Amino acid sequence: MGNALGYLKWLRYSNQAFAPNGKDDFVETNIGFPCRVVTGNKALESVFDIDQFRKEEFYFGLVEVRKDFTDGVCPSIASNGRDHERNKGLMMDVIAKATEKIPASAANAVLSNIAKWGSDPSNFESKMMAVAADALLPTIFGESTPFDADEIRLYAKNSTELRADILAALTGGDLDEGRQAMKSILSNMKSSERYRQLMDLGKSHGLGEETTTAQLLFSVMFNGVGGIQINLVPAIARLNTISAEDREELREEALAALRKHGGVTREALEEMPKIESFVLEVLRTGPSPDFWSTITTCPTTVKYTTGGEEHEVEIKEGERVYASSYWALRDPAVFDQPDEFVWRRFLGPKGEALREHHVIFHGRLVDKPAVNNHMCPGRDIGLSVLKTTVVLFNTFFGWELQEPPVWTGTKAARLGQPDNEVKMKSFWLQHPVDLKEIFPSHFEDIFEEMAERPDVDGIEVLVRTKTGTYIGSGTDSNVYIRLYDDQGHQSRVLRLDVWWKDDFERGRKGQYRLKDVKVTAPILQLELWRDNSHPEDDWYCDSVSVQLNPDINGPTYDFPVHRWMKQNDHVWLIPGDCELPQDDLNPKDRADELLLMKERYASASPVPGLLPMVKTLPAEEEFTKQRKREMKRTRRIMLATKLPIVIFGGRFDSFESISEAFPPCQVPRGMFHWKLDETFGAQRLRGVNPTSIKLCQKIPEKFGVTVAMLEPHLEGLKLGEALEGKRLYLVDLTIMSVAAFMNQNRPMCAPYGLFFVNSKKDLVPVAIQMYPNEGEKQHPVFLPSDPPHTWLYAKMWFNCADANYHQAVPHLGFTHLMVEACALAAKTTLSRSHPIQRLLEPHFFNMMAINNFATETLISEGGGLTQITMSGEKGAFEVIRERLKTWRMDVDGTLPADLKERGVDDVESLPKYYYRDDALPIYNAIKQYVRGTVEIFYHGEDDELVKLKEDYEIQEFAKALVSTEGGRVAIKGVPGNGKFSTLDELIQTLTSIIFSSSVQHAAVNFMQLDQYGFVPNMPLMLVKEPPRTKEPMTEQDILDALPNKQDTFTINTLGAILSDRATKPLGDFEVEYLRGEKVHKVISKFQQELSRISWDIKHKNKTQRFQPYDYLDPQNIPNAISI
């Protein structure tokens, strides 16, 4: 009875009977017979020494293998010596041939079985036996021989028993039933297509046919299929114990690898470290078997450490030593929180180190199976099947268990499975689009079977649509949607139609109440399409929203669309329609859409050597009718009120008479104090071109100014002192030499200007030279001490050069054209669903339309620049080409770097630089806004770089920005130079684009009427030559050099049109492209910061500044270049 009582104790308490005492890892006990139980992780490793410990043949743990179920052959798992080497060698060769095929076989097994059971996986644990059998057996015996999973279950159940015959009944089972199952399995094995090959393989290891067959029978059916099934059940059950966020994290990792490799492959599984860690933690917390048995081959002394103390134990020859994997894998000296399920445990360097102590496979996980160790030869196959099953279940399906799984470690017969049987309450296809994409051959069978699940109750749904306002946006086609919820339900096809109404007309909103729609909250996807009833009648859909149970104010799901819908093109949308490409539910549709966008936004280089522009303006980029009317109205007002100028023209007879050309009720600020040197200096800091001034560290070689010329104007300072004290600043416009005589043979100077910060902290000019000195040709240096009108005329010509440079470089070249090149790169590489495309979209609004307008009216041959500037469009293009050689986004296009590069970032040395002082806090606010948005979608320190790297669209965007394909000119200095390796590179690039399209454009555009309207202040053109001598001049000489009334009227008409703000202020977006609580928080914080900056600027303009500088008040900065 002693033995019987020992077994009963084991059955009742299982692993709890051997709980470590904290003092000794080798516990002497009686479990029906005397033995030692090893519980410490490091102590347990001693039993892996095959020379000192042999396996107890026909036994593992307390389980005895029935010899009549192995034909008397000791299975490899329990054999020793030469027999073990032959048996293990055979199984290693068998497994080696199966390993390559196991991932695909396992995937096929999982999906095929799910297709069979559909939404009703009753007897779930038994169904896992079928999955294990269908995964493993075809790789060993071939695909043509079917095996019955129930027969394998009966064989496995009856092939072992507890040691005591008196308790045999407690193991259950009908031996005759088990033997019959064994006969059937043997028959299938012997008739399989690979049986003879397997026998030959056994022969090569010195094994006869009976022995080889017996080894395959027990090792493959019991250890292989049975062992895998025992671990599949807890793996699926454990998924129900982790959070939805964690399951989604596992899903994202798996989905990315599946897409990359086109399914389950060894390579795909290798790229799923999180999945592997999850599976290893499943095996750690529920090891099967719980323990195994060995017998010492000779007297031995084992040294080990318990509780930080060194111990040693003497073990006699023939003594039984039972190794408890259950407690070894819960050893607190090795595993933190050992009783907790921590699925991330085996990630990272620390997790890698822990694998040395993972001992479930009759050895350490880091050991490779070999004939001279006990490591299970099927370890890698078992792990592959477990990982594959977890991946497929978690990535594509959803389920609900009848009751939560519970593990107490007290139920021996359950091994590592939960104490309670795992039973499914419901099972559904949760991500059909992903399944269809990656496993199309399985999709139809599964989808059809899942469709037979019981329907939910039908509800009422309110669908709202908004059609775009672009020309041709409306359609007469029929429009349909289908809804998908998170329980795997999908609605019927729902037609959006009001029979008495002309639906989907341009600019119209539609509402559609739909009855008996069988979905529940939340909605995961919306499928949208139009039919071919009007094949060429494309529809531009702005948005769709879906409200469930509208009468009781049910949840609403918004689906931004912003797409052209062609006939039978199905668009799959998620709420908010914003996700990275590697997470997209339908990547093929996304890729097809990008191909269409590449066609719609094909680029061309209308001007050789300049950045690319859109070849043909898409309809969705055109101005709205309202915007066109506003521009025409401004021109009509100017024509009507200035009719005498238009008809009679003539010249101005005084400076005051220039007001005749002003727009109605507008007086340009440049009219006031325009002759003062302080005003001229201020134009460098807060005029139309505030980005050319730089610290003068030495006088340029070709600038002929001398110490004798300068020092009388330096308030007693020596030249060296002024340079060292950061009191001198330079504007170098010598680049303008390339624009001379390019427009109707008009001249253009290429001046230097030297400026001094005086004791009043005003910047004033101290020297101007019209052209750089070349060889013996020396040009006069104009000084404040020269005759007043001569000095005034020199300043006017300097400003004329600066004005023409401004129109070419800071304005046209590096806001309008640069941002369009960035927009083309974005629109042809980033899907409409990409968060970065949605981040940028408000800052591209109307930009291509105004550029298209400019190419037709302003920068065309004979256009506006030809009429009212010295350099004309040809000269402007030459200057842009020249500047493109040196302009860099990471310097010139990045405000802090630009200020530092020019040496003007020191507020104390260069005060009253209102452009810098107002632009810099807005730049920082934009950068924080961009960072906050980017981090939402590339979140997490551990995986953000992985997400960035795997985001193939954003990497294509990076390439497109610097691409010179087809002879195109590229933007220099883009962070990353064609590859975003860090989030900072992406953030800096996006910040530069948004800043350029909003703040920088506002700085160089909206004061044009104020600066150019009173022509002498900042003349775009002069009709007399630049001064070549210092001879005294008169006021009449100045008036004679000014453009006539007609040209001045044209300048002011253009200034009035270009000074009109056409979009909402920065941060107040026309369209809500980005949605969601996290994004709204980021946008709200951005808006609050802009509001604070606006208040600060208003306060400074009111209390600290001589003349208000409100151009960079955020309330006056449009989101985009729309004019």
Side-chain angles (χ1 to χ4, degrees), residues 155-308:
Y155 170 77
K157 181 179 180 181
N158 290 280
S159 61
T160 60
E161 63 177 346
L162 293 178
R163 290 176 181 257
D165 292 337
I166 191 172
L167 296 175
L170 294 176
T171 65
D174 184 330
L175 293 181
D176 290 337
E177 191 178 35
R179 292 188 180 97
Q180 189 60 41
M182 180 180 68
K183 290 178 181 179
S184 179
I185 293 170
L186 284 170
S187 176
N188 285 335
M189 287 173 55
K190 293 178 179 181
S191 63
S192 69
E193 62 188 80
R194 294 183 184 165
Y195 180 73
R196 292 316 318 166
Q197 297 175 18
L198 293 168
M199 295 304 103
D200 290 341
L201 194 60
K203 186 176 181 180
S204 69
H205 287 276
L207 301 176
E209 183 169 338
E210 290 185 1
T211 303
T212 301
T213 303
Q215 287 295 336
L216 291 171
L217 174 64
F218 192 85
S219 296
V220 174
M221 301 302 166
F222 182 91
N223 291 116
V225 177
I228 290 172
Q229 183 267 346
I230 284 293
N231 289 304
L232 283 177
V233 172
I236 302 304
R238 284 290 185 184
L239 285 170
N240 272 60
T241 68
I242 64 175
S243 69
E245 291 78 12
D246 286 349
R247 284 188 61 177
E248 183 60 26
E249 186 176 341
L250 292 171
R251 180 180 182 274
E252 288 178 0
E253 177 192 67
L255 191 58
L258 293 174
R259 282 176 172 156
K260 179 179 178 181
H261 296 283
V264 181
T265 64
R266 291 181 64 187
E267 293 76 16
L269 293 177
E270 287 171 0
E271 293 179 15
M272 301 181 197
K274 295 176 183 178
I275 294 290
E276 181 168 279
S277 180
F278 175 88
V279 168
L280 292 179
E281 183 69 350
V282 169
L283 297 174
R284 185 194 72 82
T285 53
S288 172
D290 293 338
F291 53 90
W292 59 89
S293 54
T294 63
I295 297 176
T296 52
T297 58
C298 58
T300 183
T301 300
V302 178
K303 295 181 180 180
Y304 60 95
T305 303
T306 300

Side-chain angles (χ1 to χ4, degrees), residues 708-844:
M709 294 176 186
L710 280 181
E711 289 188 348
H713 305 288
L714 301 184
E715 297 182 339
L717 293 176
K718 298 295 185 183
L719 176 59
E721 294 173 336
L723 290 170
E724 186 176 347
K726 296 184 178 181
R727 300 283 292 275
L728 287 174
Y729 292 84
L730 179 71
V731 176
D732 182 351
L733 293 171
T734 56
I735 191 176
M736 293 306 295
S737 62
V738 301
F741 307 106
M742 296 290 290
N743 179 29
Q744 305 173 72
N745 210 35
R746 291 175 183 173
M748 173 49 66
C749 64
Y752 289 114
L754 192 63
F755 298 82
F756 175 68
V757 178
N758 65 21
S759 57
K760 296 180 181 180
K761 300 298 183 179
D762 289 319
L763 187 72
V764 295
V766 291
I768 296 172
Q769 184 173 298
M770 290 294 110
Y771 301 93
N773 293 329
E774 300 288 349
E776 296 182 0
K777 189 173 182 61
Q778 301 294 300
H779 298 277
V781 177
F782 296 92
L783 304 168
S785 54
D786 290 340
H789 286 98
T790 302
W791 174 238
L792 180 63
Y793 191 53
K795 291 192 293 182
M796 286 173 60
W797 259 104
F798 182 94
N799 267 356
C800 184
D802 198 17
N804 280 260
Y805 177 81
H806 156 257
Q807 292 292 7
V809 176
H811 188 200
L812 175 61
F814 293 97
T815 59
H816 283 262
L817 300 185
M818 191 274 290
V819 174
E820 178 162 345
C822 294
L824 288 172
K827 289 176 181 288
T828 55
T829 60
L830 302 177
S831 163
R832 303 290 294 180
S833 299
H834 200 292
I836 301 306
Q837 171 66 29
R838 291 191 173 276
L839 172 68
L840 291 173
E841 193 64 32
H843 307 288
F844 296 152

Side-chain angles (χ1 to χ4, degrees), residues 543-612:
S543 63
V544 175
S545 71
V546 175
Q547 185 178 20
L548 308 185
N549 294 314
D551 291 339
I552 58 173
N553 196 29
T556 297
Y557 303 91
D558 295 317
F559 300 89
V561 184
H562 308 302
R563 290 169 169 85
W564 288 98
M565 305 293 297
K566 292 186 172 294
Q567 61 170 333
N568 293 326
D569 272 357
H570 292 237
V571 175
W572 298 78
L573 305 167
I574 63 171
D577 185 41
C578 193
E579 58 188 339
L580 299 178
Q582 59 265 44
D583 301 327
D584 198 299
L585 298 171
N586 200 338
K588 185 179 185 302
D589 283 357
R590 187 169 178 138
D592 290 344
E593 181 184 54
L594 272 177
L595 289 176
L596 178 63
M597 295 296 284
K598 290 179 187 295
E599 294 177 6
R600 293 186 68 81
Y601 288 88
S603 63
S605 298
V607 181
L610 267 59
L611 293 169

Side-chain angles (χ1 to χ4, degrees), residues 445-643:
D445 291 341
I446 292 175
F447 189 79
E448 181 179 350
E449 186 66 30
M450 292 293 181
E452 296 177 3
R453 64 179 304 193
D455 285 332
V456 294
D457 293 335
I459 61 172
E460 186 172 301
V461 170
L462 176 62
V463 179
R464 295 181 176 92
T465 63
K466 183 179 179 182
T467 298
T469 58
Y470 311 121
I471 296 173
S473 291
T475 186
D476 291 325
S477 299
N478 298 311
V479 173
Y480 302 89
I481 66 169
R482 191 198 301 266
L483 303 176
Y484 299 82
D485 67 20
D486 78 333
Q487 296 295 309
H489 304 114
Q490 63 175 37
S491 73
R492 69 183 188 277
V493 173
L494 304 169
R495 182 181 173 187
L496 305 183
D497 179 56
V498 177
W499 67 269
W500 50 266
K501 185 179 178 182
D502 196 1
D503 301 298
F504 315 116
E505 290 303 296
R506 177 182 173 188
R508 294 275 184 87
K509 296 180 180 179
Q511 290 195 23
Y512 310 90
R513 279 186 175 264
L514 306 170
K515 306 285 187 180
D516 195 32
V517 181
K518 295 182 177 180
V519 291
T520 62
I523 299 299
L524 289 186
Q525 288 182 281
L526 177 143
E527 184 182 2
L528 174 69
W529 71 98
R530 75 172 184 87
D531 66 11
N532 59 358
S533 56
H534 297 271
E536 303 303 319
D537 197 15
D538 293 347
W539 177 44
Y540 191 90
C541 180
D542 265 342
S543 63
V544 175
S545 71
V546 175
Q547 185 178 20
L548 308 185
N549 294 314
D551 291 339
I552 58 173
N553 196 29
T556 297
Y557 303 91
D558 295 317
F559 300 89
V561 184
H562 308 302
R563 290 169 169 85
W564 288 98
M565 305 293 297
K566 292 186 172 294
Q567 61 170 333
N568 293 326
D569 272 357
H570 292 237
V571 175
W572 298 78
L573 305 167
I574 63 171
D577 185 41
C578 193
E579 58 188 339
L580 299 178
Q582 59 265 44
D583 301 327
D584 198 299
L585 298 171
N586 200 338
K588 185 179 185 302
D589 283 357
R590 187 169 178 138
D592 290 344
E593 181 184 54
L594 272 177
L595 289 176
L596 178 63
M597 295 296 284
K598 290 179 187 295
E599 294 177 6
R600 293 186 68 81
Y601 288 88
S603 63
S605 298
V607 181
L610 267 59
L611 293 169
M613 300 179 70
V614 68
K615 190 173 184 179
T616 303
L617 189 67
E620 60 267 36
E621 298 293 343
E622 293 180 359
F623 282 128
T624 63
K625 285 186 176 180
Q626 179 182 352
R627 182 65 190 128
K628 290 178 180 178
R629 285 195 297 268
E630 290 170 352
M631 295 172 68
K632 290 177 180 178
R633 183 172 64 248
T634 301
R635 189 171 186 275
R636 283 198 303 269
I637 291 172
M638 288 292 291
L639 285 170
T641 56
K642 305 301 174 183
L643 195 59

